[in-house]
Amino acid sequence: MGVINFIIENILTQASITIALIAMLGLILQKKSTGQIISGTLKTLLGFQVLSAGSSIIVGSLTYFGQIFTEGFQMEGIIPSIEAINGQAMNELGLGRDIALTFLAIFVFNILLARFTRWKYIFLTGQAILWMATMTTVFGYFAGLRGLVLILVGGFVGAVFAVAMPAIAQPIIRKVTGSNDIALGHFCTIGYLFEAGVAKIFGEKGENKKSIEDIKLPAHFEFLQDTYLSVMVVMVPLYIVTVLFAGETFAAELSGGQNYIMFAFLQAIQFVVGVYVLLSGVRLLLGEIVPAFRGIAMKLVPDAIPALDCPVFFPYSPNAVILGFITTTIGTVIAMFVLPMFGLAMILPGMLTNFFAGGTAGIFGNAVGGRRGAIIGGIAHGFFITLLPALLVTIFNSMGFVSATATDVDTVVAALLYAWILSPILKAF
């Protein structure tokens, strides 16, 4: 058990190492030379680490933005955090071992489902699987499941989501990427499909559909066709206006003695740097993981398709990512004020979710309904991903988790299904 726990806690929970090992397996199965195996494995590891470094830079910048946003517009409420739920579950409920084993069970069941069903997707976003394992374990525990049953049921439910979500999203992903080589492995997919549905109804159709990527600018604004410059032009004013609302007294505490407006400006630039690093990592990762994965497809799971984290798809539609971030933020702010009118908790906008999930949803909305679809769909998406966590607060309160909820839509849906099917908690809900 000690070896298994070491593997789960120190290897499988490290997404970069897991993906590198899978790439190595694929290269070995293709009988590549030792040099090619080493090169492909290390480049896959490097690509994912570069991608993660870019994400970390963005997270740091957005964490600052979230603080000045909340202060500037005087927002009080619950900040969704699956990390906090994971911590309470492991420390206060003693479910750390069960969550780790459920994580492993999801991965094993995923491979089995991919091998023996028509859903040929291998979900490779380790962090997302960890959050799914947390939710299924917690809700299974409160439904009365214990021991091996708790782990196997949670593993199977998580694995079904791990193959079903990429499968459902794949038609749109094929349209965006122009190939069937990769799939989306991110447990916010129901939200993306929700935006796509709204975009289909209210967006542009047929020949009238105009992609945000095809926007034509006057000659003196052609520099905005550069992805990084266009992101900068959007983010710099957003940060500076927000920090002015937050005020010098509060903002100066975050700037560490530096002029608070200049600090906000540099944080906006830092965000752009993060996007640059992230997209560089994506290109390096894709150059290695897709060819290596063919070995697994040929030997272990015929026609297997790797389901990768959402930033992998940002280079395919960068303008839609920024539009999705902005419109999703608008939707979350609207929901923040509207939902309490119906007796639900006030959920504060989470800037990290708004960027990563909102940006990906923007790609879906733009692909299905063009610019108008991305705008209307993005606002609706923001409202939707605020509504579900608000519904979950009531259930978590009944479990003893005070002012806690989660954001990833698929994990929330899995939790609600758990509560509805297995737990008497929801019988009167």
Side-chain angles (χ1 to χ4, degrees):
M1 186 60 69
V3 175
I4 293 176
N5 282 340
F6 176 82
I7 292 173
I8 293 171
E9 295 172 7
N10 297 284
I11 297 178
L12 293 181
T13 53
Q14 299 298 318
S16 60
I17 296 176
T18 302
I19 289 181
L21 290 174
I22 289 173
M24 182 175 70
L25 175 62
L27 293 167
I28 291 172
L29 290 173
Q30 292 180 72
K31 298 180 179 178
K32 298 290 186 180
S33 68
T34 302
Q36 289 174 315
I37 293 171
I38 294 173
S39 173
T41 302
L42 293 180
K43 282 186 177 180
T44 301
L45 177 63
L46 179 62
F48 194 91
Q49 289 288 62
V50 172
L51 186 157
S52 298
S55 294
S56 297
I57 295 171
I58 292 172
V59 166
S61 176
L62 286 178
T63 299
Y64 163 79
F65 181 72
Q67 291 173 314
I68 60 174
F69 187 87
T70 302
E71 173 69 20
F73 299 102
Q74 295 299 305
M75 296 180 175
E76 295 182 4
I78 298 172
I79 300 175
S81 173
I82 184 66
E83 294 88 348
I85 294 168
N86 178 265
Q88 289 186 58
M90 290 196 295
N91 299 324
E92 296 176 19
L93 299 178
L95 293 176
R97 175 177 169 273
D98 295 302
I99 290 172
L101 290 174
T102 300
F103 176 98
L104 179 60
I106 290 174
F107 197 75
V108 172
F109 276 124
N110 181 184
I111 294 173
L112 291 174
L113 287 172
R115 177 66 180 86
F116 296 108
T117 72
R118 62 178 183 175
W119 292 339
K120 304 299 181 183
Y121 301 94
I122 306 295
F123 199 101
L124 295 178
T125 309
Q127 188 177 24
I129 295 177
L130 178 61
W131 302 147
M132 179 63 78
T134 298
M135 295 292 270
T136 58
T137 302
V138 167
F139 275 78
Y141 178 83
F142 278 97
L145 303 181
R146 295 292 185 275
L148 187 61
V149 175
L150 173 65
I151 293 162
L152 292 179
V153 172
F156 183 75
V157 170
V160 169
F161 273 84
V163 294
M165 292 300 102
I168 295 170
Q170 194 62 6
I172 298 177
I173 290 297
R174 275 196 300 267
K175 187 175 182 180
V176 170
T177 64
S179 76
N180 201 43
D181 290 338
I182 56 175
L184 175 63
H186 195 223
F187 282 138
C188 296
T189 302
I190 292 173
Y192 305 151
L193 297 173
F194 178 81
E195 166 148 352
V198 173
K200 186 174 181 62
I201 295 171
F202 297 102
E204 301 154 349
K205 298 174 178 63
E207 296 180 358
N208 294 324
K209 187 166 66 176
K210 298 177 182 177
S211 170
I212 188 66
E213 306 303 326
D214 298 330
I215 190 168
K216 300 297 181 184
L217 297 171
H220 49 286
F221 285 124
E222 282 184 350
F223 70 94
L224 293 177
Q225 299 287 5
D226 182 289
T227 298
Y228 308 109
L229 293 179
S230 64
V231 172
M232 192 183 302
V233 166
V234 171
M235 300 309 291
V236 167
L238 192 61
Y239 272 61
I240 290 178
V241 169
T242 303
V243 82
L244 289 174
F245 272 95
E248 182 175 1
T249 302
F250 178 82
E253 295 177 4
L254 303 177
S255 63
Q258 188 174 356
N259 179 274
Y260 75 107
I261 297 177
M262 180 56 66
F263 187 80
F265 171 79
L266 292 176
Q267 284 296 312
I269 300 302
Q270 192 77 346
F271 177 92
V272 183
V273 171
V275 172
Y276 180 88
V277 175
L278 184 149
L279 297 185
S280 299
V282 167
R283 285 188 287 269
L284 183 57
L285 175 65
L286 287 183
E288 299 299 326
I289 191 67
V290 173
F293 216 80
R294 293 196 183 102
I296 295 174
M298 289 186 293
K299 299 289 184 179
L300 299 180
V301 182
D303 303 319
I305 300 173
L308 304 172
D309 203 356
C310 61
V312 169
F313 301 90
F314 288 1
Y316 293 99
S317 194
N319 292 343
V321 171
I322 300 304
L323 181 63
F325 168 52
I326 293 171
T327 54
T328 293
T329 299
I330 292 171
T332 57
V333 170
I334 293 172
M336 181 189 69
F337 291 112
V338 170
L339 295 180
M341 297 179 185
F342 296 91
L344 295 173
M346 176 176 281
I347 305 296
L348 298 184
M351 291 304 157
L352 300 180
T353 300
N354 288 355
F355 176 70
F356 288 105
T360 310
I363 295 175
F364 276 62
N366 183 64
V368 173
R371 301 173 198 171
R372 189 171 71 214
I375 294 171
I376 299 174
I379 295 172
H381 173 256
F383 196 97
F384 181 70
I385 66 171
T386 306
L387 171 62
L388 290 188
L391 293 173
L392 200 59
V393 169
T394 305
I395 303 172
F396 269 127
N397 284 344
S398 67
M399 292 177 169
F401 290 85
V402 180
S403 298
T405 190
T407 52
D408 290 3
V409 176
D410 299 352
T411 63
V412 174
V413 170
L416 293 173
L417 288 174
Y418 244 88
W420 179 54
I421 295 170
L422 294 174
S423 176
I425 294 173
L426 208 77
K427 297 302 182 185
F429 182 70

